[in-house]
């Protein structure tokens, strides 16, 4: 005879565990997310009034510092010889490089790492472009200027923490926790009708890029909102837990602090349920998601959130997607090949889903990374450097182009700062970020508020885009 287990839960144990669920889950997720939700309702005198359209920026953070000169590689005989000499044991064999054919050529031939055939196809179909030798700069800087210390250089150059922060803030001259995505959100937030959920959605936890003066990120996971642990589940224990939580949230407390805390949790919980209901209502995509691909899982939830934009009331959104594991001081060839293969499959998946949703033209994905890597080998890997290559994907991207100036890869060149292949960026990150901001809807007159060093590189009254990789129509 089968014996049925009884749920003998003491009142003290039940209340203790319920409060623990509220405390740990809610204080450290729901309370933070509520600030992001509530901030969306705040108005701003610089708000842009466009109405009717939708645009999203998806920031893909390759945390650790991608060795991007093994991602975008010179392929012609002369330039490959120069590359192979400098890279020595880290050079990708010439016959393995995937060829690409940019619409505009400087006479050199280029190709891609053999692990990214989907990115090759995206490039050839005009859906992806590269930006070469981009990095943080305060002002135009030559090798001689830097060596003679007559120009300002970014704080903490070659430091993970400083360079990550500067890529996410657009302010290499100062240390701040306010990001350029957050500053943009402060300007455009009232374009969205949702007053409870932040327009800045993160699949990388708390981040600097999306933190503004009024807006902070709304952190979610690959399954959706975080919410209160086990709230609303159907087994008997969780039903009792949910009833107890609802009882606490429905009460009015005489203590003003208790009441404020209760209201905070209740609003956060309600908003989380609203978000979850919206994304759960999206049918499964026809595009098959690649197996065992964590990045694809994150981009799937980005796509579900985008598909819920009308239900949730969003005209503008930013997404932060973290994909770490690029600090390859050792085993570069194997480790980078694996990481690039994951990115390659995930990008192809996301591009196909955007086509399914008919949102290709209004969603732009772009990459950032801490810094480039040294062109020279440290034995089996590379060390922290400066300029590197980035990529942009989407229907509004003027694809099949390599923007910026792809540098000479010979050691000791005019852009090699230390004769180790530490490349001085030829394109400042400010121009990259400003172009994306302009496409997103930020007026040119507001760009220097977001990027205070931009005027050192670009005239905001010029009437032309900073670089030209985005279709501004």
């Amino acid at each position: 005879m089968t014996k049925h287990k009884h749920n003998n839960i003491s009142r003290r144990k039940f209340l203790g565990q319920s409060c623990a669920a509220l405390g740990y889950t809610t204080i450290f997720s729901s309370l933070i997310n509520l600030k992001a939700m509530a901030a969306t309702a705040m108005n701003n005198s610089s708000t842009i009034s466009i109405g009717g359209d939708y645009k999203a920026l998806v920031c893909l953070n390759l945390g650790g510092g991608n060795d991007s000169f093994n991602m975008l590689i010179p392929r012609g005989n002369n330039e490959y010889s120069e590359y192979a000499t400098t890279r020595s044991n880290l050079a990708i064999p010439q016959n393995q490089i995937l060829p690409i054919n940019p619409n505009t050529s400087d006479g050199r031939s280029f190709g891609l790492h053999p692990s990214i055939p989907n990115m090759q196809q995206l490039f050839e179909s005009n859906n992806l472009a590269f930006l070469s030798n981009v990095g943080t700069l305060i002002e135009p800087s030559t090798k001689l200027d830097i060596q003679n210390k007559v120009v300002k250089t970014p704080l903490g150059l070659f430091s993970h923490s400083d360079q990550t922060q500067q890529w996410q803030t657009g302010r290499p001259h100062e240390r701040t926790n306010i990001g350029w995505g957050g500053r943009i959100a402060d300007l455009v937030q009232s374009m969205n009708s949702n007053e409870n959920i932040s327009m800045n959605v993160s699949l990388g936890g708390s981040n600097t890029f999306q933190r503004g003066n009024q807006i902070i990120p709304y952190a979610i996971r690959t399954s959706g909102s975080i919410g209160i642990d086990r709230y609303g589940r159907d087994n008997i224990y969780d039903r009792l837990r949910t009833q107890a939580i609802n009882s606490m949230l429905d009460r009015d407390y005489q203590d003003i602090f208790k009441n404020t805390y209760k209201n905070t949790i209740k609003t956060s919980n309600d908003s989380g349920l609203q978000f979850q209901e919206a994304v759960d209502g999206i049918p499964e995509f026809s595009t098959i998601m690649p197996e065992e691909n964590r990045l694809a899982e994150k981009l799937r939830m980005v796509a579900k959130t985008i598909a819920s934009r009308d239900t949730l009331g969003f005209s503008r959104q930013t997404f932060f997607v973290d994909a770490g594991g690029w600090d390859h001081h050792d085993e570069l060839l194997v480790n980078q090949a694996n990481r690039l293969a994951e990115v390659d499959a995930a990008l192809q998946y996301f591009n196909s889903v955007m086509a399914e949703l008919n949102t290709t033209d209004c969603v732009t994905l772009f990459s950032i990374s801490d810094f480039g890597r040294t062109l020279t080998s440290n034995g089996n890997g590379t060390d922290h450097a400066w300029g590197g290559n980035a990529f942009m994907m989407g229907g509004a991207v003027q694809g099949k182009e390599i923007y910026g100036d792809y540098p000479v890869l010979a050691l000791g060149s005019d852009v090699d700062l230390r004769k180790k292949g530490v490349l001085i960026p030829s394109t400042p990150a400010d121009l990259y970020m400003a172009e994306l901001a302009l496409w997103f809807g930020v007026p040119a007159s507001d760009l220097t508020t977001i990027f205070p060093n931009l005027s050192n590189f670009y005239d905001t009254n010029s009437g032309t885009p900073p670089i030209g990789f985005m279709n501004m129509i």
Side-chain angles (χ1 to χ4, degrees), residues 441-458:
V442 175
S445 58
D446 284 333
L447 287 176
T448 52
T449 301
I450 301 169
F451 309 108
N453 300 309
L454 182 62
S455 58
N456 293 333
F457 311 102
Y458 171 67

Side-chain angles (χ1 to χ4, degrees), residues 221-461:
R221 50 192 170 190
T222 56
S223 59
S225 64
I226 296 175
I228 298 173
D229 188 36
R230 306 188 71 84
Y231 181 91
R233 294 194 182 182
D234 199 40
N235 68 61
I236 185 170
Y237 176 73
D238 289 333
R239 288 202 303 270
L240 289 171
R241 179 201 295 261
T242 300
Q243 290 171 10
I245 291 171
N246 286 341
S247 177
M248 288 186 280
L249 296 181
D250 289 339
R251 287 182 58 186
D252 284 324
Y253 299 89
Q254 291 184 347
D255 187 308
I256 187 173
F257 297 107
K258 290 181 181 179
N259 218 45
T260 299
Y261 178 78
K262 180 265 295 186
N263 289 335
T264 297
I265 300 306
K266 181 173 175 56
T267 304
S268 176
N269 189 51
D270 290 347
S271 298
L273 294 173
Q274 178 194 9
F275 181 90
Q276 193 65 48
E277 182 180 6
V279 296
D280 285 346
I282 301 302
E284 287 302 318
F285 303 122
S286 299
T287 304
I288 304 300
M289 187 173 69
E291 295 181 0
E292 298 182 6
N293 189 311
R294 182 66 174 167
L295 177 57
E297 292 176 4
K298 292 180 179 181
L299 291 176
R300 172 181 174 272
M301 182 48 61
V302 170
K304 283 206 159 198
T305 307
I306 290 170
S308 305
R309 63 194 181 280
D310 291 336
T311 302
L312 292 173
F314 286 110
S315 291
R316 289 291 185 276
Q317 288 183 289
T318 76
F319 296 89
F320 180 82
V321 181
D322 190 47
W326 300 85
D327 193 20
H328 297 143
H329 291 279
D330 194 20
E331 296 293 343
L332 167 70
L333 292 176
V334 173
N335 290 333
Q336 188 188 34
N338 292 335
R339 300 300 290 123
L340 284 173
E342 180 184 20
V343 169
D344 183 68
L347 290 183
Q348 174 61 31
Y349 167 75
F350 187 68
N351 184 71
S352 296
V353 173
M354 290 300 98
E356 269 191 62
L357 297 175
N358 197 29
T359 54
T360 302
D361 292 343
C362 55
V363 177
T364 299
L365 181 148
F366 64 97
S367 73
I368 64 172
S369 194
D370 308 23
F371 33 59
R373 313 289 298 197
T374 54
L375 296 178
T376 55
S377 171
N378 63 16
N380 203 24
T382 52
D383 299 321
H384 304 176
W386 198 351
N389 303 313
F391 56 83
M392 307 78 73
M393 184 182 79
V397 173
Q398 308 268 23
K400 205 177 180 184
E401 293 283 10
I402 299 173
Y403 294 92
D405 297 318
Y406 196 94
V408 171
L409 300 186
L411 296 181
S413 73
D414 288 342
V415 294
D416 180 12
L417 184 61
R418 295 182 173 178
K419 296 185 179 180
K420 292 177 59 178
V422 176
L423 300 181
I424 302 166
S426 52
T427 299
D430 289 48
L431 296 182
Y432 181 31
M433 301 167 186
E435 178 115 357
L436 293 164
L438 270 177
W439 173 80
F440 198 62
V442 175
S445 58
D446 284 333
L447 287 176
T448 52
T449 301
I450 301 169
F451 309 108
N453 300 309
L454 182 62
S455 58
N456 293 333
F457 311 102
Y458 171 67
D459 179 3
T460 57
N461 296 315

Side-chain angles (χ1 to χ4, degrees), residues 102-306:
N103 289 326
T104 305
S105 173
D106 63 359
R108 293 179 290 178
S109 298
F110 294 93
L112 304 181
H113 191 285
S115 291
I116 51 176
N118 290 308
M119 290 178 67
Q120 177 197 31
Q121 293 305 311
L122 288 166
F123 182 90
E124 293 296 315
S125 61
N126 296 298
N127 289 313
L128 186 141
F130 290 95
L131 177 58
S132 184
N133 198 23
V134 59
T136 57
L137 286 169
I138 296 175
E139 56 186 324
S141 304
T142 67
K143 182 176 178 178
L144 193 59
D145 288 338
I146 296 168
Q147 290 174 338
N148 291 335
K149 299 182 180 180
V150 296
V151 292
K152 296 177 181 177
T153 55
L155 296 175
L157 197 57
F158 316 124
S159 153
H160 281 297
S161 57
D162 284 297
Q163 294 306 294
T164 297
Q165 183 182 70
Q166 290 166 31
W167 265 102
Q168 295 185 34
T169 63
R171 296 179 176 231
H173 62 291
E174 64 178 357
R175 293 182 173 96
T176 174
N177 67 346
I178 305 299
W180 63 272
R183 292 179 192 273
I184 290 173
D186 287 341
L187 293 175
V188 306
Q189 58 182 314
S190 69
M191 291 180 64
N192 302 311
S193 61
N194 195 314
E195 297 184 352
N196 297 318
I197 301 174
S198 172
M199 63 173 278
N200 288 355
V201 178
S202 173
L203 280 118
S206 179
N207 65 85
T208 301
F209 166 66
Q210 293 180 310
R211 180 181 294 275
N213 290 304
Q214 301 173 18
I215 295 288
I216 64 172
Y218 177 55
I220 62 171
R221 50 192 170 190
T222 56
S223 59
S225 64
I226 296 175
I228 298 173
D229 188 36
R230 306 188 71 84
Y231 181 91
R233 294 194 182 182
D234 199 40
N235 68 61
I236 185 170
Y237 176 73
D238 289 333
R239 288 202 303 270
L240 289 171
R241 179 201 295 261
T242 300
Q243 290 171 10
I245 291 171
N246 286 341
S247 177
M248 288 186 280
L249 296 181
D250 289 339
R251 287 182 58 186
D252 284 324
Y253 299 89
Q254 291 184 347
D255 187 308
I256 187 173
F257 297 107
K258 290 181 181 179
N259 218 45
T260 299
Y261 178 78
K262 180 265 295 186
N263 289 335
T264 297
I265 300 306
K266 181 173 175 56
T267 304
S268 176
N269 189 51
D270 290 347
S271 298
L273 294 173
Q274 178 194 9
F275 181 90
Q276 193 65 48
E277 182 180 6
V279 296
D280 285 346
I282 301 302
E284 287 302 318
F285 303 122
S286 299
T287 304
I288 304 300
M289 187 173 69
E291 295 181 0
E292 298 182 6
N293 189 311
R294 182 66 174 167
L295 177 57
E297 292 176 4
K298 292 180 179 181
L299 291 176
R300 172 181 174 272
M301 182 48 61
V302 170
K304 283 206 159 198
T305 307
I306 290 170

